[in-house]
Amino acid sequence: MDHAAEAQRTDLMTITRHVLNEQGRHPESRGDFTILLSHIVLGCKFVASAVNKAGLAKLVGLAGETNVQGEEQKKLDVLSNEVFVKALVSSGRTCVLVSEENEEAIFVDPQLRGKYCVCFDPLDGSSNIDCGVSIGTIFGIYMIKDKDNVTLGDVLQPGTNMLAAGYCMYGSSCTLVLSTGNGVNGFTLDPSLGEFILTHPNIKIPKKGKIYSVNEGNAKNWDVPTAKYVEKCKFPQDGSSPKSLRYIGSMVADVHRTLLYGGIFLYPADQKSPNGKLRVLYEVFPMSFLMEQAGGQAFTGKQRALELAPTKLHDRSPIFLGSYDEVEEIKALYASESSAV
């Protein structure tokens, strides 16, 4: 890339312009979706600013409450959740919200209702705030058939019904990765303009990768296919080089690297967490949607991740996602394990 030329560019593709272009491909569109996305983007900008100031503003200590997952809430968690709830409700385009920080779904007042449901984790990886590791917001958007009579059942849809998904990573730069079902694009926040600029158009994950990402501290509790796959990564039998292990422990950062460089991200079920640890609606589904849109795969150990049918708001699932060929290998190991039983 010619950085000098890039710095002088005047024809900037902002995220708003990009979404409006997408809207132009749907003549029947009334702009509701565009307005909703602009409110999500505003929430991301606010949180990015708060994350940058967290150490100075004493936002990193515990807020003293525990969230629905039993995790002690950080002040930034609480703040980020409030920001996104208010931004989404005030858009007038949502009828129900699901947040990692709230035990129950949030039903929007009837006079402010629109036709969308947004499931989100306002600040994923927030236990890493104190040490400066990248953290992020994850979101997925669904359409609700009848906004005036919305129920919990309308929220518990399979990921195949998702209209759009994305994440915003707050790290060395602030990056927003978005798919509206037509490929994946990455935008970087230009602080001088206060705008997200398209920097990673049409992201495609490499078909194979040289990196695997998993918490090896849980190895003694893994099932056989996971243990076999990781063993193969470290000690390949075909004469190829071993894969590199990279594990940050912040899902947004680990998935972002996997998306750009290829490889696989694993959070398997184990004896300690037989249903896995990651939440289906606002972690597994959005990231699986993005991976598939970028040409990769997402698998639970039993099925395609997006075909899961959640039964509760905070359902959990194992997940293997990343490069197409890597996930194929995992699928083959699980298939041979089940046929051996």
Side-chain angles (χ1 to χ4, degrees), residues 300-334:
T300 67
K302 292 181 179 163
Q303 66 187 117
R304 178 186 171 206
L306 287 179
E307 289 174 354
L308 273 172
T311 55
K312 296 194 293 294
L313 282 186
H314 301 287
D315 266 2
R316 298 173 189 258
S317 169
I319 187 67
F320 305 86
L321 52 78
S323 294
Y324 192 93
D325 289 357
E326 306 303 335
V327 179
E328 277 298 301
E329 276 191 47
I330 282 274
K331 285 160 85 170
L333 288 165
Y334 272 98

Side-chain angles (χ1 to χ4, degrees), residues 46-47 50-51 59 73-85 122:
F46 189 104
V47 173
V51 167
L59 285 169
Q73 279 181 294
K74 301 257 174 177
K75 289 179 188 174
L76 260 179
D77 285 18
V78 180
L79 178 71
S80 305
N81 191 45
E82 283 179 14
V83 165
F84 276 102
V85 169

Side-chain angles (χ1 to χ4, degrees), residues 19 47 63 97 117 164 168 175-176 182 203 235-236 258 279-280 293 310 340:
V19 172
V47 173
L97 309 176
C117 161
C168 188
T175 308
L176 197 154
N182 183 36
I203 297 169
F235 305 102
T258 305
R279 275 65 60 123
V280 172
Q293 285 290 320

